Structure formats: structure tokens, C-alpha cells
């Protein structure tokens, strides 16, 4: 039927069978991963009371000293037929102290105090359960707590010094926590880094694994010293205003059976998936079953343990790419298509575990920092959990060091593509913060080369003296080393990372003692002695530049800059181009640098009505330059500037 509306302003048509105001449609269902996360969190809180109690399970499991000095040992070993405690205290009798089996695969052993009321097992006694180390803790009694200093406030701009305690000395030996505290922390402070990321802290039997084959998750590596020494290190860092992150390995575990979790209860599926899903095909390690309730308890409590017992300020999660996908990223070249990130190849159990980890950490410790080592570019990795993301604060921008190595390997200087370099440095997901770096420990390992070594190679051994003229190789290498690092620092992310020693162009790769090198420590060290002023080496010049680069960032805060104005201004052919990409903000009295002095008028305005704009500007307005210097394109100061006011538009301003 056709109706002619004679007075459409006053006409109202209402159907008597419908309400005058219809209810709003229901909101769309939450994304699947967020729905699974909320379900898992609800079950956890329903069963355990709260995630706070659940993640403090290290206060229940392992060995707990009671008020009367008795000791209670508890473990989860559902596949075990029997469990015994042996060690120095019983002359390594393997059957004299059996555990009692409880429900749900739990075991308990109670040891009353001695007649003199002291604990039945003395401090630092060596223990084993059946034939393997205790799962939850390594030492019998609580250690002295070293946290007199409060945690520093979360840094506005994160500048990370990635470090390994054992190689933090020029000596051909395993360095200690104490050495790091006394000799390395002052350098980190002097260099202007506000965060240290410690590698290889979780106990690992094989030193050459760089700490990535963990055998005991609740023990600080004893090869570097005592737990008290590590606590003193963290506390000293806090006193210097330095945040401390732990390189945490929850992506896999050592396959050792004598001193690790593997086959702890006699089965291969206690903490891990059984069959092929529980084996990492490249690393030769075991993969956790993140759906298991007790594995969840173990790993989440592990995070709380390091935050509470040692006062770490956050974590760099290793191997996240391997966790996110059933294929572990092996032989995958991620192009950025969404089909690569959402589908059957994604490991939902791992994703939910990471969401829980981040949710709990940030709920309990609002200033906690979490960083994901992910090369795949998973969307939402650094979005908050409440917004459907995985909850990390930062991801590592791993494409950048690969780009620099590729350029140095494959291209002559005159072949460098500036546009491609800038694209790589700025190619990151909007709204997800990145930690950028020119090189990390990966580039320092044997078989690769640091940037300094790619640039200067063997001349680093003979021509780095500041008492002789620079050779062309050293000259080029030093200048490019500084430029690469500053460009990466300024453009590559919202945080910056450097691996220890690379700030001064450490001349050698990193190679841990092994059979292939005669168990030598020659390359398992950082030669800080090269910075001795008496040596008159140019390494000190690179050190000074790295320090001043960080101190300049600390003053101006470019890493934390959000580029809020979203304005692009440049000059070409004596014409000023002004782009305002901000979705809502207009500006008045916005100062820009000017080329030639004089009078400018609008020559082209995208907001003009004839172009579908709103016509908010008077094209007859004149803009006069002032003798007020202002920084323009390429950070070049111009002697003149002018003030403009405009809306969301593109202007072209030309001299009248």
C-alpha cells in the first residue's frame, strides 16, 4: 500500500501490537577464548575459595615447617605406587621414610621434631624423593627474607638490561649472585637502564641450556650462590630504583628423569601430556598439560612464589609462540592473516593458562610487568584479559634484530632501503606495546654474531685502541653500531632491551662449556674489563653513547610517548602540508616549524564543502610566521614558526 504523507512532521504511526520502545538487542556472546577463561576461573574460585589461596599452594605442598619444628612433606604423584624420602638425614636409606597416600593422588610424610625440639632434618640437607628432587621446594627451612627496600614504581619507559648471572664476569668461571650485585648492578644503573631481566635463575641441571631446560621450578640455581644471595641481589636492585624481571620458563620442562619433573610419579603423564603431544620435537623437552588442575596449581603457584619469596617485579615468558599453537610455530612463516591465529591449530588450553596467569598476576600485583616472547604476532596478545586479550603488557618485537642481521649479511651500505627499515621498525599491532631491540642473547650465541662483530669482525682484536687512528672498518662499524641502536631505540617500540655487553660492542660470541669446546669457559663470560680506562679502548666510547642514549630517553620519554596529537607536518617546494589524523581532536594555536618566513594562506583544504567536508575553516585566513625557532622535519630546528588552528582535515599552506 502507498501512503501520501501530507504532514510528515506531525504524523506518527504506531502499531498497537508493539510496545512504544523496543528492548535493546542482547549483547553479542563473548569470544570463545574469553568464555573459556571465565569458566576456568569460576571453577577455580568455586573449588579453591579464591585464586589467592590457590596460587599460594607452595605454602601447603613441598616441605612445610610447623610451629613445633615438625616437618610436613606433601606431594602430588597420582601414578606412584609408593613414595619415599631419602637423604643425608637417614644415610640415604631409600625405604625407611615412606609417604602415606591420600586421595586425589596426594602423598604426605610427617616428621616430628627431635628430642631437643629441633627439626628432624637440618638446614640445607640434601634430599631426594625416591630417586629425584623434590618438586615444590629445594631447601628444608625458610631462608632469611631480603626485601627491606620497597619495589620501585613501574617505569614509565621500560629500558631492559637482559643478563645472565653466570657469565657476568671476565673470569673464565661461573660468576655469582654476589658478583652481579657488587659489580654489574652499578653498571646497569650508570647506563640508565631501569630494569634488569635475569635469565637462567630457575634451577637447570645443564648449564649450557642457558636456563631453558628447567629441572626444578621452585629453586633458584644453586650454581650461582644461595637463595639469600639472590634475595640480596633483588633487594639491592630495588634500592637503586631498578625493576627486576625473571625469565620464566612455563612453555616446557627438561626431559631429565633423574633430576626433573619427567616421570616423577613413574608415568609420563603426571605433569605433561602423554604421547606425541607431550614432546617438543625440536627442543627434546616435555610439554605441560595446561588443562590439568594440579598442573595449573603448580605453575600459577610458581609465579606467586617468585613474586613473594624473591620479590621479583614481573616476568618475561619464554617460548610463548610454542605454547600458542599445536604446531609450536615450527616451519611456520606467519604472514599476519587471521586464519593463522584462529582455528584448530591454536592450543586453547595454553591460551587459557596464559590468560589466567596474567589475570591473577595483575590482580594481585597491579604494577607487575609481563612480556611475551612471541614471534607469530598473535592478535590480542597484549590486550587486557577483560577485553578478550591474553593480558600481556608487552611482546618482544623479534622481527627487528632479524632485519638488522639480514641487512648486514646480505646488503652493501649503499643498498640499504630506508623505507623497508622504517616499515620493519614500525610494523606492530596498534594498541599493543612492544619491547624493541637491535640484538639480544639469541644473536650473541655461538654460530651467530653480535652486531659489533658483523660490522668489525677480526679488527676488533687489533684496531680498537683509541691511541691509534681508526681504520675504515672500525670507523664504519662504530658509527653504524650507534646509529642502529639509536634508531631502534627511538622508533621500534614502547620499551627497549639490550643484552649484557652488547652496549659496548662485546667482541665475542657466547658459548657455554661443552664437549665440543673442551668444556671451556673462555666464551661463557662478558669481558667488562675492556672498559678499564687504562686500556684506552674504543669500547668505552660505545658504552658512553649507550648510557647517554638511555639518559636522553629518560629525560624526554620517547618510549612512553603515545603520539597523542596524531599530526603530520612537513614542507616540500615551499609549501606546508598539515595532516590531522586524530579521530576527534581539533587544535587551536598549534605551532609548527616554517620554511621561508612571511605570510601563508590555505591553498587546499580537505574540509571544504566542495570536497564533502564541513566547511569549518575560512580560507581567507592569513598565517604569519614568527621569529621563534621550532623543531621541524628530521628534528632540524627552523628559525621561524607559525601557529595554526584546524579541525580533522588536511591543509596545504602556501606563501601568499
Amino acid at each position: 500500500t502507498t501512503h501520501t504523507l501530507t504532514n510528515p512532521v506531525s504524523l506518527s504511526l504506531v502499531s498497537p501490537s508493539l510496545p512504544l520502545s523496543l528492548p535493546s538487542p542482547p549483547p553479542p556472546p563473548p569470544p570463545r577464548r574469553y568464555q573459556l577463561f571465565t569458566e576456568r576461573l569460576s571453577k577455580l574460585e568455586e573449588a579453591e575459595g579464591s585464586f589467592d589461596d590457590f596460587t599460594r599452594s607452595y605454602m601447603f605442598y613441598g616441605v612445610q615447617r610447623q610451629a613445633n619444628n615438625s616437618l610436613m612433606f606433601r606431594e602430588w604423584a597420582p601414578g606412584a605406587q609408593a613414595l619415599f624420602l631419602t637423604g643425608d638425614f637417614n644415610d640415604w636409606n631409600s625405604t625407611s621414610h615412606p609417604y602415606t597416600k591420600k586421595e586425589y593422588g596426594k602423598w604426605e610424610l610427617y616428621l616430628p621434631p627431635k628430642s631437643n625440639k629441633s627439626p628432624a632434618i637440618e638446614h640445607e640437607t640434601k634430599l631426594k624423593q625416591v630417586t629425584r628432587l623434590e618438586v615444590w621446594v629445594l631447601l628444608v627451612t625458610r631462608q632469611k627474607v631480603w626485601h627491606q627496600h620497597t619495589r620501585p614504581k613501574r617505569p614509565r619507559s621500560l629500558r631492559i638490561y637482559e643478563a645472565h648471572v653466570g657469565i657476568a664476569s671476565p673470569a673464565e668461571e661461573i660468576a655469582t649472585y654476589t658478583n652481579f650485585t657488587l659489580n654489574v648492578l652499578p653498571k646497569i644503573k650508570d647506563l640508565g637502564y631501569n630494569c634488569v631481566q635475569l635469565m637462567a635463575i630457575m634451577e637447570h641441571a645443564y648449564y649450557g641450556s642457558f636456563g631453558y631446560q628447567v629441572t626444578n621450578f621452585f629453586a633458584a640455581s644453586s650454581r650461582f650462590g644461595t637463595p639469600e644471595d639472590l634475595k640480596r641481589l633483588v633487594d639491592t636492585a630495588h634500592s637503586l630504583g631498578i625493576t627486576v624481571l625473571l625469565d620464566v620458563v612455563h612453555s616446557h620442562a627438561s626431559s631429565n628423569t633423574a633430576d626433573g619433573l619427567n616421570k616423577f610419579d613413574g608415568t609420563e603423564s603426571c605433569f605433561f601430556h602423554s604421547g606425541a603431544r607431550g614432546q617438543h620435537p625440536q627442543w627434546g623437552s616435555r610439554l605441560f598439560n595446561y588443562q590439568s588442575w594440579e598442573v595449573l596449581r603448580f605453575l600459577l603457584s610458581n609465579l606467586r612464589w617468585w613474586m613473594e619469596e624473591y620479590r621479583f617485579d614481573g616476568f618475561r615468558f619464554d617460548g610463548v609462540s610454542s605454547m600458542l599453537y599445536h604446531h609450536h610455530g615450527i616451519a611456520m612463516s606467519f604472514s599476519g592473516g587471521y586464519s593463522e591465529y584462529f582455528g584448530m591449530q591454536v592450543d586453547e588450553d595454553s591460551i587459557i593458562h596464559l590468560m589466567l596467569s596474567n589475570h591473577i598476576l595483575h590482580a594481585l600485583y597491579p604494577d607487575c610487568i609481563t612480556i611475551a616472547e612471541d614471534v607469530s604476532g598473535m592478535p590480542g596478545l597484549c590486550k587486557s584479559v577483560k577485553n578478550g586479550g591474553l593480558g600481556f603488557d608487552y611482546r618482544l618485537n623479534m622481527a627487528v634484530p632479524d632485519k638488522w642481521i639480514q641487512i648486514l649479511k646480505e646488503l652493501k651500505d649503499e643498498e640499504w632501503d630506508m623505507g623497508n627499515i622504517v616499515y620493519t621498525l614500525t610494523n606492530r599491532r596498534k594498541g599493543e606495546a612492544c619491547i624493541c631491540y637491535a640484538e639480544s642473547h639469541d644473536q650473541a650465541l655461538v654460530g651467530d654474531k653480535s652486531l659489533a662483530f658483523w660490522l668489525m669482525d677480526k679488527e676488533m682484536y687489533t684496531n680498537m685502541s683509541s691511541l691509534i687512528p681508526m681504520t675504515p672498518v672500525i670507523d664504519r662499524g662504530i658509527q653504524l653500531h650507534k646509529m642502529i641502536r639509536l634508531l631502534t631505540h627511538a622508533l621500534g617500540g614502547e620499551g627497549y632491551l639490550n643484552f649484557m655487553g652488547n652496549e659496548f660492542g662485546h667482541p665475542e660470541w657466547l658459548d657455554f662449556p661443552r664437549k665440543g669446546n673442551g668444556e671451556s669457559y673462555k666464551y661463557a663470560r662478558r669481558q667488562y674489563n675492556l672498559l678499564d680506562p687504562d686500556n684506552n679502548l674504543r669500547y668505552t666510547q660505545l658504552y658512553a653513547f649507550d648510557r647517554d642514549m638511555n639518559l636522553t630517553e629518560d629525560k624526554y620519554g620517547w618510549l612512553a610517548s603515545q603520539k597523542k596529537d596524531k599530526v603530520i607536518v612537513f614542507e616540500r617546494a615551499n609549501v606546508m602540508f598539515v595532516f590531522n589524523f586524530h579521530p576527534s581532536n581539533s587544535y587551536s594555536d598549534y605551532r609548527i616549524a616554517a620554511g621561508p618566513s612571511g605570510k601563508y594562506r590555505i591553498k587546499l583544504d580537505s574540509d571544504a564543502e566542495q570536497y564533502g567536508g564541513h566547511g569549518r575553516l575560512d580560507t581567507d585566513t592569513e598565517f604569519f610566521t614568527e621569529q621563534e625557532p621550532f623543531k621541524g622535519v628530521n628534528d632540524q630546528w627552523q628559525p621561524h614558526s607559525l601557529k595554526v588552528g584546524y579541525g580533522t582535515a588536511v591543509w596545504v599552506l602556501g606563501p601568499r
Side-chain angles (χ1 to χ4, degrees):
T1 302
T2 302
H3 298 276
T4 302
L5 303 182
T6 57
N7 187 1
V9 175
S10 61
L11 178 66
S12 61
L13 300 177
V14 179
S15 171
S17 61
L18 294 176
L20 291 177
S21 59
L22 295 175
S24 301
R32 175 178 170 82
R33 60 183 57 174
Y34 184 76
Q35 185 174 350
L36 293 174
F37 157 76
T38 54
E39 290 175 358
R40 180 67 64 89
L41 183 62
S42 296
K43 290 179 180 178
L44 184 155
E45 292 176 327
E46 180 182 350
E48 302 286 340
S50 70
F51 61 71
D52 185 24
D53 293 336
F54 185 65
T55 57
R56 289 184 184 272
S57 293
Y58 58 82
M59 300 179 72
F60 178 82
Y61 282 89
V63 56
Q64 303 297 329
R65 182 174 174 176
Q66 311 298 318
N68 65 349
N69 275 343
S70 62
L71 299 175
M72 176 64 79
F73 293 79
R74 296 186 182 94
E75 290 294 339
W76 177 68
Q81 299 300 311
L83 198 63
F84 302 89
L85 183 69
T86 183
D88 292 334
F89 76 101
N90 65 0
D91 295 324
W92 296 96
N93 186 315
S94 60
T95 59
S96 63
H97 288 75
Y99 281 69
T100 301
K101 189 172 185 178
K102 303 294 182 178
E103 59 181 353
Y104 306 120
K106 298 175 183 178
W107 297 77
E108 288 185 357
L109 170 62
Y110 175 77
L111 296 182
K114 295 179 181 178
S115 57
N116 63 3
K117 298 185 179 180
S118 65
I121 300 177
E122 295 179 359
H123 179 62
E124 293 188 345
T125 295
K126 293 181 180 179
L127 300 173
K128 280 192 175 184
Q129 288 178 323
V130 187
T131 58
R132 40 187 73 84
L133 286 173
E134 189 178 4
V135 172
W136 284 82
V137 289
L138 186 61
L139 298 178
V140 171
T141 59
R142 291 266 179 213
Q143 305 301 307
K144 182 177 179 180
V145 179
W146 288 94
H147 52 85
Q148 293 88 352
H149 296 93
T150 58
R151 288 185 169 111
K153 292 183 178 180
R154 179 171 172 153
R156 178 189 63 166
S157 298
L158 201 58
R159 301 183 298 274
I160 303 172
Y161 196 82
E162 184 185 35
H164 184 291
V165 169
I167 65 172
S169 164
E172 296 184 28
E173 61 188 17
I174 298 177
T176 64
Y177 296 124
T178 300
N179 166 74
F180 197 94
T181 302
L182 297 177
N183 299 318
V184 183
L185 283 179
K187 287 185 174 67
I188 296 173
K189 178 66 174 180
D190 179 62
L191 282 162
Y193 291 95
N194 53 24
C195 177
V196 59
Q197 178 180 299
L198 294 179
M199 311 171 63
I201 296 298
M202 303 169 78
E203 189 62 89
H204 49 292
Y206 179 44
Y207 187 44
S209 74
F210 222 144
Y212 292 125
Q213 295 279 344
V214 176
T215 49
N216 194 304
F217 286 75
F218 284 83
S221 180
S222 58
R223 58 170 55 87
F224 309 136
T226 67
E228 292 97 326
D229 295 335
L230 176 57
K231 291 175 182 179
R232 185 181 294 109
L233 187 164
V234 174
D235 185 62
T236 303
H238 287 169
S239 74
L240 296 172
I242 298 173
T243 294
V244 189
L245 303 183
L246 175 70
D247 198 345
V248 69
V249 186
H250 282 183
S251 50
H252 64 130
S254 170
S255 60
N256 291 12
T257 55
D259 51 12
L261 290 178
N262 194 21
K263 297 185 179 180
F264 172 72
D265 67 344
T267 72
E268 67 167 10
S269 58
C270 182
F271 285 89
F272 312 109
H273 288 291
S274 59
R277 190 179 178 187
Q279 307 281 344
H280 197 289
Q282 285 191 341
W283 299 341
S285 52
R286 297 305 313 275
L287 299 177
F288 286 106
N289 178 3
Y290 300 107
Q291 196 175 36
S292 165
W293 195 266
E294 293 303 323
V295 171
L296 194 67
R297 182 195 306 277
F298 180 78
L299 294 177
L300 294 179
S301 297
N302 188 234
L303 297 175
R304 291 295 305 276
W305 165 261
W306 292 106
M307 292 290 290
E308 292 288 338
E309 187 71 10
Y310 290 94
R311 306 292 290 175
F312 279 92
D313 302 297
F315 304 94
R316 178 261 198 191
F317 281 71
D318 177 70
V320 169
S321 296
S322 175
M323 297 175 68
L324 294 176
Y325 311 97
H326 293 296
H327 53 61
H328 308 301
I330 298 173
M332 292 294 298
S333 179
F334 291 92
S335 63
Y338 285 107
S339 61
E340 298 170 339
Y341 308 113
F342 303 97
M344 298 301 293
Q345 74 276 20
V346 176
D347 190 331
E348 288 184 333
D349 294 336
S350 297
I351 285 180
I352 303 311
H353 171 70
L354 291 172
M355 293 173 74
L356 282 170
S357 298
N358 279 304
H359 171 74
I360 289 171
L361 283 172
H362 289 104
L364 295 171
Y365 313 97
D367 285 339
C368 176
I369 298 169
T370 59
I371 303 171
E373 186 205 26
D374 171 43
V375 71
S376 74
M378 166 66 77
L381 188 75
C382 299
K383 292 289 187 181
S384 66
V385 172
K386 67 180 181 181
N387 289 326
L390 273 66
F392 285 99
D393 297 296
Y394 300 89
R395 63 154 39 97
L396 291 176
N397 196 346
M398 303 175 72
V400 172
D402 292 342
K403 172 57 66 175
W404 287 125
I405 295 299
Q406 178 206 356
I407 289 172
L408 295 177
K409 277 183 178 181
E410 301 176 2
L411 300 177
K412 300 177 181 178
D413 290 3
E414 57 269 24
E415 295 174 342
W416 288 25
D417 184 339
M418 298 297 106
N420 185 253
I421 293 172
V422 171
Y423 172 79
T424 302
L425 287 168
T426 57
N427 181 28
R428 50 190 186 271
R429 294 196 182 279
K430 182 179 179 180
E432 297 195 47
C434 286
I435 301 295
C436 198
Y437 54 101
E439 52 185 339
S440 70
H441 70 273
D442 288 326
Q443 287 71 42
L445 291 172
V446 62
D448 204 338
K449 296 180 182 180
S450 66
L451 287 178
F453 218 73
W454 278 110
L455 289 164
M456 294 175 281
D457 206 69
K458 61 184 179 181
E459 289 202 24
M460 298 187 74
Y461 296 111
T462 57
N463 297 328
M464 285 294 280
S465 173
S466 60
L467 301 178
I468 62 174
M470 286 190 290
T471 66
V473 169
I474 296 298
D475 189 6
R476 169 185 178 269
I478 285 179
Q479 310 319 323
L480 284 178
H481 192 271
K482 293 181 292 185
M483 294 172 68
I484 287 171
R485 300 173 81 77
L486 179 56
L487 182 60
T488 303
H489 202 302
L491 199 59
E494 290 69 38
Y496 179 76
L497 178 142
N498 166 67
F499 178 62
M500 60 191 308
N502 287 349
E503 69 276 5
F504 62 84
H506 198 280
E508 293 174 339
W509 58 31
L510 178 62
D511 189 14
F512 286 91
R514 53 188 174 85
K515 290 183 179 180
N517 64 14
E519 304 295 339
S520 172
Y521 286 85
K522 181 179 180 180
Y523 298 108
R525 59 187 179 130
R526 297 278 94 176
Q527 299 182 56
Y528 288 108
N529 56 304
L530 296 174
L531 299 174
D532 188 335
D534 295 337
N535 291 333
N536 296 304
L537 296 175
R538 297 192 184 277
Y539 297 106
T540 60
Q541 298 168 347
L542 293 176
Y543 178 99
F545 179 81
D546 198 81
R547 177 191 62 218
D548 291 346
M549 176 177 66
N550 283 320
L551 295 179
T552 305
E553 195 288 326
D554 188 59
K555 179 178 180 180
Y556 293 102
W558 59 68
L559 287 171
S561 171
Q562 299 299 313
K563 304 176 183 64
K564 294 181 179 179
D565 289 353
K566 299 189 182 301
V567 173
I568 298 174
V569 180
F570 61 92
E571 175 197 358
R572 191 170 185 180
N574 290 334
V575 176
M576 302 297 300
F577 294 80
V578 183
F579 294 74
N580 178 16
F581 284 99
H582 201 285
S584 58
N585 287 0
S586 297
Y587 301 97
S588 61
D589 294 332
Y590 195 95
R591 185 171 294 279
I592 63 175
S597 62
K599 185 188 302 182
Y600 286 77
R601 291 187 62 178
I602 300 173
K603 301 298 182 179
L604 182 66
D605 174 21
S606 67
D607 195 44
E609 291 181 350
Q610 63 264 38
Y611 307 134
H614 301 281
R616 290 170 290 193
L617 301 175
D618 182 1
T619 56
D620 292 328
T621 302
E622 296 177 336
F623 303 89
F624 296 87
T625 60
E626 303 171 19
Q627 287 187 329
E628 181 172 335
F630 200 78
K631 190 178 291 186
V633 179
N634 298 326
D635 281 352
Q636 298 297 315
W637 285 92
Q638 300 293 336
H640 302 94
S641 61
L642 59 107
K643 287 183 177 180
V644 297
Y646 55 96
T648 305
V650 178
W651 284 10
V652 178
L653 303 177
R656 184 170 180 179

